[in-house]
Amino acid sequence: MEQRIGSSSQPLKAEPVKGAGFDPAFIPGLTSPAPGRTDADGPEKEPEVAEAEEADEPGEAEGAAPEPEETAETSPSEPEEADADGPVFEASDRRARIVADHRGVRLSLDDQECEFRWDEIGAVETETARFGKRYTVTVHTPDRRWYPIEIEAPARSRFTEWDEQLDAVLDAYFEEDAE
C-alpha cells in the first residue's frame, strides 16, 4: 500500500466542533474557558492599557490611561448598584454555593460554575431531605433540562430562613409569564 507524501496528508487546522453531539461533557449554561488562549500568551491586558503601551510618547500614555479606567469602573457599577438594592439569596457550604439576585441564579460546585439569567429559567424548585441537613435547589430551563445543587445546612432551622429569602428573590425578579 502506498502512502501519500505532501500537504494532502497533513490534517487541517480547524476549530473543534462544540456541542453535546461531539462533547459528552457539554452542558449549556456552564462557563467554558476562553478559546484560543494559552498560558504562553501571557495575561490578557485591558484595551486601554494595550493602547497606552503602544503609544509613541510615554508622557501622553501615562496621562491618558487612568481616565478610561475610572470611567470604565464607574459606569458598569452604577447600574448594578441601582438593581442591587433588591433581595439577594446566598447559601453555601464547603463545596457548593448558590446565589440568586438581580442578575439571575448562579450555581457552583467545587470548580464548576453555571449562570442562568432570569429569562433562561423556567422554574426554581426547592427540596429538603426528610432526615439530615441537605437543602436542594433545582433550576429548570424551558428546554426541559434541570440543574440541581445540594447544600448542607449548618442546622435544619436554616431551611425555613433560606426558603423565605429565595421566595423574596423569586417574587422580585422571576416572571412566570416569560415563556
Side-chain angles (χ1 to χ4, degrees):
M1 177 177 245
E2 295 181 20
Q3 293 182 353
R4 294 183 184 175
I5 299 174
S7 63
S8 63
S9 64
Q10 299 295 324
L12 297 174
K13 304 271 184 189
E15 185 175 323
V17 180
K18 297 178 182 173
F22 299 97
D23 183 9
F26 178 79
I27 299 174
L30 288 178
T31 58
S32 63
R37 300 234 5 114
T38 62
D39 293 336
D41 293 340
E44 185 176 341
K45 296 180 180 177
E46 295 292 326
E48 295 87 10
V49 175
E51 290 173 4
E53 289 179 355
E54 293 173 2
D56 295 334
E57 297 177 324
E60 291 179 10
E62 290 176 7
E67 292 176 18
E69 288 177 7
E70 290 174 9
T71 56
E73 288 177 7
T74 54
S75 52
S77 63
E78 288 174 2
E80 286 184 18
E81 289 176 5
D83 292 337
D85 292 339
V88 175
F89 169 71
E90 289 188 45
S92 63
D93 65 4
R94 59 186 168 80
R95 294 184 59 203
R97 176 180 170 91
I98 179 171
V99 177
D101 58 9
H102 66 281
R103 295 186 330 182
V105 177
R106 290 177 300 285
L107 308 174
S108 62
L109 179 66
D110 296 332
D111 62 342
Q112 301 296 314
E113 295 181 2
C114 60
E115 182 172 348
F116 302 95
R117 295 184 319 268
W118 288 113
D119 61 341
E120 297 175 322
I121 297 174
V124 177
E125 176 185 9
T126 61
E127 187 177 350
T128 58
R130 184 171 180 189
F131 302 106
K133 298 184 284 187
R134 293 253 178 231
Y135 184 76
T136 305
V137 177
T138 306
V139 176
H140 296 270
T141 60
D143 59 348
R144 296 187 179 167
R145 292 184 180 259
W146 60 92
Y147 303 89
I149 190 164
E150 289 186 343
I151 298 173
E152 190 168 340
R156 288 186 60 87
S157 61
R158 293 293 302 255
F159 292 163
T160 56
E161 179 185 335
W162 285 349
D163 276 335
E164 291 170 0
Q165 289 176 358
L166 185 57
D167 284 342
V169 171
L170 293 174
D171 289 343
Y173 303 115
F174 183 67
E175 297 176 9
E176 293 180 20
D177 300 329
E179 293 180 27

